[in-house]
Amino acid sequence: MTYSDWLTYATQLLTEKLSQDPYLNAKLDANLLLQAVTKRSRSAIFAFGETELNETEQNQLNQMLERRTKGEPMAYILGEKEFWSLPLKVSSDTLIPRPDTERLVEVALDWANKRLENQESLQILDLGTGTGAIALALASELKQKAQVLGVDFKPEVVVLAESNRQTLQIENARFQQSDWFSTLVNQQFDLIVSNPPYIDEEDENLQIGDVRFEPLTALVADNHGLSDLQKIIENAPLYLKPNGALFLEHGWQQALDVQHIFHQNQWQAVETFKDYANLDRITKAEK
């Protein structure tokens, strides 16, 4: 079978099997699988479409295609996902980094750069770091003007984040195991960021698309998705320096609830930012 033949076959099969997935791009998925196995660029595959697949390549593609037809996310099949132009290894123990979370990085960077006009360096904490996406994005942008710590309660996730740091050679970030603030004794930060679990366990969207394969511990929270957000808001002041800030990603319908929790806990300068779809997605407050 040639590259061209396989692309046609895979695109058709994915279209049939995943017809209920509103986010499916069957042609792109087929191309990405073929690129991963053949180690060729998309343009090379197009230019040399008559190239025959060997038996090993065919077997690898069949296995990956079978996983994809069952709905498994491309990021888990390929073992990688780009975030903030950084190629990150992912695993089934972590959330798949999403474009909306890049908005969290943007608004946090804006705050950080303004703060750096009046001080030489920043200490930053990323709670529930997962792949290390947020921590590494901030560290890569701020370079030696910031030291970034990412924490996660799963040891295997911390290992993955550290592997991403080493691969990207980002020296001003580090990772350690911690259940939220539990191991951060006597430490304080200028800025805390987090994309915590915030989905209600009854949310019907948990049965759709990629989230069916992602770890529930990274997605779902009690109290209609608000319990982890509330826990962070209540405890963060102990770990923030004076005039420090907390930025939280949350569900698009949770902004008013999150603002209310901030106000209940005497936070100042509460402000909500919209994501790329113009939905309320990130709320910030200052100590």
Side-chain angles (χ1 to χ4, degrees):
M1 184 178 282
T2 66
Y3 291 176
S4 181
D5 290 338
W6 191 85
L7 282 174
T8 300
Y9 161 73
T11 300
Q12 183 177 347
L13 185 65
L14 288 170
T15 301
E16 292 173 359
K17 296 287 188 178
L18 300 176
S19 60
Q20 302 303 311
D21 185 347
Y23 305 107
L24 176 69
N25 187 330
K27 191 172 184 178
L28 176 61
D29 288 359
N31 250 297
L32 289 172
L33 294 175
L34 191 55
Q35 289 174 58
V37 169
T38 63
K39 311 299 186 210
R40 288 198 165 195
S41 67
R42 189 170 184 174
S43 58
I45 287 171
F46 179 77
F48 301 100
E50 298 310 307
T51 304
E52 292 281 342
L53 291 162
N54 62 42
E55 185 177 352
T56 301
E57 291 171 333
Q58 185 76 62
N59 288 337
Q60 284 182 301
L61 284 166
N62 287 343
Q63 291 171 11
M64 295 168 87
L65 185 60
E66 183 178 3
R67 291 169 65 184
R68 185 65 187 120
T69 58
K70 293 176 180 176
E72 187 174 346
M74 286 292 292
Y76 288 159
I77 298 170
L78 299 175
E80 187 175 284
K81 178 72 173 179
E82 186 178 281
F83 180 87
W84 202 261
S85 300
L86 303 173
L88 299 173
K89 292 176 225 173
V90 300
S91 79
S92 56
D93 293 313
T94 65
L95 278 186
I96 299 166
R98 287 172 168 77
D100 278 337
T101 302
E102 293 188 351
R103 182 68 179 132
L104 173 60
V105 174
E106 283 182 358
V107 294
L109 274 176
D110 185 58
W111 184 93
N113 283 317
K114 288 176 182 174
R115 182 55 57 94
L116 285 167
E117 293 172 3
N118 299 307
Q119 66 185 77
E120 290 185 359
S121 64
L122 297 174
Q123 298 292 321
I124 300 175
L125 172 65
D126 174 24
L127 289 168
T129 196
T131 60
I134 298 170
L136 293 170
L138 291 171
S140 70
E141 291 290 337
L142 296 168
K143 303 191 185 303
Q144 297 311 312
K145 293 179 181 178
Q147 296 296 314
V148 185
L149 171 63
V151 301
D152 203 286
F153 80 99
K154 288 185 175 181
E156 62 271 26
V157 170
V158 176
V159 170
L160 179 68
E162 172 60 19
S163 174
N164 281 326
R165 185 199 68 77
Q166 292 181 16
T167 300
L168 295 166
Q169 298 183 316
I170 295 174
E171 298 302 323
N172 58 322
R174 62 188 177 91
F175 298 95
Q176 73 181 53
Q177 187 179 356
S178 183
D179 186 359
W180 300 130
F181 300 101
S182 65
T183 66
L184 305 179
V185 181
N186 298 324
Q187 294 187 62
Q188 287 195 315
F189 303 86
D190 300 283
L191 172 62
I192 300 175
V193 294
S194 184
N195 175 19
Y198 56 72
I199 299 177
D200 186 341
E201 62 183 355
E202 301 297 328
D203 193 319
E204 59 187 21
N205 290 312
L206 289 169
Q207 308 305 319
I208 300 172
D210 289 355
V211 294
R212 293 173 298 160
F213 294 83
E214 293 179 284
L216 281 177
T217 53
L219 292 166
V220 172
D222 294 334
N223 188 25
H224 306 292
L226 293 169
S227 63
D228 286 316
L229 288 159
Q230 181 164 355
K231 187 180 298 181
I232 293 170
I233 291 169
E234 289 175 350
N235 288 281
L238 294 172
Y239 302 89
L240 272 178
K241 296 178 183 179
N243 302 313
L246 170 61
F247 284 78
L248 293 172
E249 181 175 329
H250 51 70
W252 66 275
Q253 294 176 306
Q254 293 175 321
L256 291 178
D257 289 322
V258 172
Q259 290 171 16
H260 179 65
I261 298 169
F262 269 123
H263 288 305
Q264 275 187 321
N265 288 274
Q266 285 76 54
W267 287 78
Q268 305 298 315
V270 179
E271 183 179 3
T272 293
F273 301 86
K274 295 187 181 295
D275 63 17
Y276 301 124
N278 203 37
L279 300 171
D280 292 335
R281 181 68 60 185
I282 296 124
T283 297
K284 154 256 177 186
E286 296 183 7
K287 180 177 174 182

